Amino acid sequence: MRTTGWLAARIAAVRPTTSHARVLTLDVPGWPGNDPGQHLDIRLTAEDGYQAERSYSIASSGPGERVELAVDTVPDGEVSPYLVDVAEVGDMLEVKGPLGAYFVWHESDPDPVQLVAGGSGIVPLLAMARAHDRSESPVPFRLLYSVRSPDDALYRDEILDLAGRSLDLTWAYTRAAPEGWPEPVGRLTPDRVAAATWPPARHPLTFICGPTRFVEAAADAMVAAGHDPARVRTERFGG
Amino acid sequence: MAQFTRGFGSRRRDADPDLPPGQYLTTDFPVLSAGPTPRIPLSEWSFSIRTETGETARWSWDEFTALPSEEVSTDIHCVTRWSKLGTSWRGVALDTLFEEVETSFDYVMAHSYGGYTTNVPLEDLLDGKAWIAYEFDGEPLDPEHGGPARLLVPHLYFWKSAKWVRGLVMQQHDDPGFWEQNGYHLRGDPWLEERYW
């Protein structure tokens, strides 16, 4: 699947997934399909010709010309507030992709998979968990998802649904947990990461995605727990 | 012909002539890399350049930081579209290092602690265009940003400025490195938007 030029995309559906994030479904004629974990570039063009471009992870995968994104508002951002608060069904933008061949899960991979998500870092990891759920792959998938509070989890209902079938799920709450939650609230510690992820002996392939500080801490914790750094793949949001 | 996007543009930033096309300004310092951050003790650090004859010039940390260094003030541009203007570094110019190296090969593969690689034409590293940088803003370079030392090739997208660099290997052809094998452009000029192949 080679990168082509910019493709026109029409917003086919929008729905909120948290109070500050929403899921956008795009119709992209000519989209070549994508692997789980890949991203695309979005280009917005104002009427006077001014343009802004950003990269977003793709929540969907496989063949077809429908592409799903989930966008979290970056305070003081330029593109995400437009996509979360202004864009409506029928609006047009442009996309380029799919991009990235490294932060990708392949159905044929024989090893267990450990997903570690912080906030909206869930998006490319959800694409992998969905692809795994649809696939015949027998490998176990495990997700450690760190969010500020239950209401801040993108795709919460769908993740709970996957957890009932094909996903071993651990929530970590950094600010507020559900009532009676047995775990401490706060940033992930190396011990909590080690307890909620596959041990090195299982030889998992680990994908970590989220804000820089989160990814640094989680990746360091995996290495400290004895995982081969070459088996720990990361995708960091800037800033 | 670009597709107009209804309702977009009201939050626009001022255009800056120092920004390559498709880039936006950031004032913090985003961290991007493909895996965990390696942490290399200075006592174990070395930097080398290997040529086609197998000859290898090698510097320990003490030898390296005793070389003449330069202060570099420059703009940097990440392929993920952030640009940071007026960053301050200290490092050793590749011109200085290549004074000790005889090669007829035109291409370089940079190798990093942690296994990262990136390919760069030699002419993009010489004539005051590139450094091995070990300070940022007057402080030792933070491991997250590639410390103890990273390649600094500011006129190319920043994935070429290999973090945790440990050596350069001369090569006859412009064979692709890590990101280049994973979809990024072989050279990466931000002003030409050489982002992807």
Side-chain angles (χ1 to χ4, degrees):
Chain A
M1 287 186 285
R2 279 184 79 86
T3 313
T4 54
W6 291 100
L7 297 170
R10 179 185 173 276
I11 297 177
V14 298
R15 66 177 173 86
T17 181
T18 70
S19 61
H20 43 81
R22 85 175 166 180
V23 175
L24 300 168
T25 307
L26 307 179
D27 277 333
V28 189
W31 182 256
N34 64 277
D35 292 326
Q38 288 191 291
H39 61 278
L40 54 64
D41 284 353
I42 281 186
R43 181 163 75 180
L44 305 181
T45 303
E47 281 196 34
D48 64 359
Y50 170 78
Q51 295 183 322
E53 302 174 8
R54 295 291 188 279
S55 293
Y56 285 98
S57 295
I58 306 171
S60 53
S61 65
E65 297 185 333
R66 287 224 139 171
V67 179
E68 184 182 311
L69 310 174
V71 179
D72 199 5
T73 305
V74 178
D76 196 37
E78 183 184 20
V79 171
S80 63
Y82 172 82
L83 293 173
V84 175
D85 301 328
V86 181
E88 295 169 7
V89 170
D91 286 345
M92 301 294 296
L93 44 85
E94 290 171 293
V95 302
K96 184 190 280 188
L99 302 168
Y102 178 70
F103 200 80
V104 162
W105 178 69
H106 296 286
E107 215 177 297
S108 56
D109 195 309
D111 294 313
V113 170
Q114 178 66 56
L115 308 174
V116 183
S120 58
I122 190 65
V123 177
L125 307 183
L126 177 72
M128 297 178 195
R130 285 172 163 177
H132 169 253
D133 187 64
R134 283 195 308 270
S135 76
E136 308 270 300
S137 166
V139 306
F141 257 54
R142 202 164 176 180
L143 169 65
L144 170 58
Y145 189 7
S146 172
V147 289
R148 280 174 298 195
S149 75
D151 290 343
D152 289 302
L154 278 66
Y155 292 106
R156 182 174 178 85
D157 292 345
E158 182 175 347
I159 288 166
L160 289 170
D161 191 43
L162 290 171
R165 286 202 306 274
S166 58
L167 188 65
D168 181 312
L169 171 67
T170 304
W171 295 104
Y173 297 106
T174 58
R175 301 225 184 121
E179 208 167 319
W181 190 253
E183 293 287 322
V185 167
R187 284 183 189 275
L188 279 177
T189 61
D191 285 349
R192 290 178 70 201
V193 171
T197 57
W198 299 117
R202 296 289 298 270
H203 199 55
L205 184 58
T206 298
F207 295 92
I208 305 176
C209 186
T212 292
R213 278 183 190 292
F214 174 83
V215 172
E216 281 294 307
D220 286 350
M222 294 298 284
V223 173
H227 293 272
D228 177 357
R231 304 276 301 163
V232 179
R233 300 185 181 186
T234 61
E235 195 152 271
R236 296 159 166 86
F237 300 160
Chain B
M1 177 64 195
Q3 179 75 53
F4 292 142
T5 301
R6 181 204 59 81
F8 174 69
S10 59
R11 295 173 67 100
R12 119 180 22 154
R13 311 294 171 85
D14 292 332
D16 189 319
D18 292 331
L19 278 184
Q23 298 292 112
Y24 65 92
L25 271 182
T26 186
T27 49
D28 54 20
F29 196 168
V31 173
L32 292 163
S33 41
T37 295
R39 290 182 170 75
I40 304 102
L42 297 182
S43 59
E44 290 172 22
W45 186 91
S46 78
F47 180 78
S48 64
I49 301 177
R50 192 168 86 222
T51 69
E52 58 269 32
T53 63
E55 245 175 280
T56 303
R58 189 182 301 278
W59 296 266
S60 69
W61 181 257
D62 288 344
E63 290 164 344
F64 194 84
T65 50
L67 293 170
S69 65
E70 298 176 5
E71 273 183 39
V72 184
S73 179
T74 187
D75 304 338
I76 56 177
H77 312 289
C78 179
V79 70
T80 64
R81 299 177 190 281
W82 57 263
S83 289
K84 191 170 171 62
L85 305 183
T87 58
S88 302
W89 308 79
R90 174 173 291 282
V92 177
L94 271 289
D95 297 299
T96 303
L97 300 172
F98 271 88
E99 281 171 14
E100 304 187 21
V101 175
E102 280 288 329
T103 178
S104 63
F105 280 1
D106 291 331
Y107 300 99
V108 169
M109 186 71 82
H111 291 259
S112 295
Y113 291 94
Y116 180 75
T117 55
T118 189
N119 56 301
V120 193
L122 183 57
E123 65 174 17
D124 277 312
L125 297 180
L126 300 181
D127 297 324
K129 292 202 281 280
W131 298 264
I132 304 295
Y134 53 81
E135 281 182 17
F136 179 78
D137 263 353
E139 301 286 335
L141 186 59
D142 189 285
E144 280 180 24
H145 293 302
R150 75 181 296 163
L151 187 58
L152 179 65
V153 196
H155 71 289
L156 299 178
Y157 281 126
F158 220 40
W159 89 80
K160 293 289 182 182
S161 295
K163 294 178 177 182
W164 315 298
V165 70
R166 65 185 303 175
L168 308 178
V169 175
M170 299 307 304
Q171 50 181 19
Q172 191 162 16
H173 304 290
D174 202 11
D175 299 325
F178 176 81
W179 283 125
E180 294 81 8
Q181 290 170 33
N182 282 289
Y184 284 170
H185 195 277
L186 214 51
R187 179 152 180 273
D189 183 332
W191 295 95
L192 301 177
E193 287 204 83
E194 293 174 338
R195 296 175 186 280
Y196 317 114
W197 46 236

